[in-house]
Amino acid sequence: SQQGEEDPQALSIQEGENATMNCSYKTSINNLQWYRQNSGRGLVHLILIRSNEREKHSGRLRVTLDTSKKSSSLLITASRAADTASYFCATAPPSGSARQLTFGSGTQLTVLP
Amino acid sequence: ETGVTQSPTHLIKTRGQQVTLRCSSQSGHNTVSWYQQALGQGPQFIFQYYREEENGRGNFPPRFSGLQFPNYSSELNVNALELDDSALYLCAQRGDGTDTQYFGPGTRLTVL
């Protein structure tokens, strides 16, 4: 079953604009990760934020985490056509060695040139 | 590029057949997980292997089985294929003490 939901399901913006995607989840987590997937291929890890962190930056990416609301957001600044892809949030459970990721259903981002 | 490879890239099978998918390993990545991604959905966790032992399993029936080899490469086997098994199968690896998973490009399985 899916842990959470991304919102919106689809987003279309112009090149240079910022894109914001939201993720909600249901259970306690150790960390939350964001991945990008191009055209049904493999997932590329973008950024990881731990449950005791509130905000993290990596290049043009900014991730926030609110554990009280069980939600996260991914901001991509100054978007480029190459950012067109599906974006998934994934949560890792707080305990256990398996640390399997539970993914949301994804946001399809289209950046128009 | 994550350095994780999977084979084959695409595969077509008929209902009732069996299939084996393969995943290479990067040096130091001794944990491998397999995920199933149906069209338009997020990946779903199938199972995980650590040092050749299964140490976690998602909500998949026993006809989904796996192996991890001493060199940490891995196989996913699916018996008695059903139409709903049509999906992208992803292998992911991580090293000890890390949470970042490195995904392969996937194998697209079509069951007719």
Side-chain angles (χ1 to χ4, degrees), chain A residues 67-89:
Chain A
T67 53
S68 67
K69 295 181 179 178
K70 291 187 169 58
S71 67
S72 174
S73 68
L74 171 68
L75 169 68
I76 304 174
T77 60
S79 63
R80 306 165 182 168
D83 294 329
T84 295
S86 292
Y87 291 81
F88 293 92
C89 68

Side-chain angles (χ1 to χ4, degrees), chain B residues 17-85:
Chain B
Q17 285 189 312
Q18 177 266 341
V19 69
T20 297
L21 311 181
R22 295 179 174 83
C23 175
S24 71
S25 172
Q26 276 190 302
S27 175
H29 288 183
N30 51 22
T31 300
V32 64
S33 302
W34 286 89
Y35 292 81
Q36 179 196 66
Q37 186 178 20
L39 201 61
Q41 300 293 317
Q44 300 255 4
F45 174 73
I46 302 174
F47 47 58
Q48 177 177 285
Y49 279 80
Y50 174 70
R51 295 188 176 180
E52 303 176 57
E53 296 285 334
E54 183 182 301
N55 71 342
R57 190 174 185 93
N59 190 26
F60 280 81
R63 60 188 184 84
F64 285 79
S65 63
L67 282 174
Q68 187 183 30
F69 301 99
N71 67 354
Y72 303 133
S73 64
S74 176
E75 285 182 356
L76 164 66
N77 299 289
V78 187
N79 294 321
L81 283 167
E82 301 177 358
L83 298 180
D84 285 348
D85 296 335

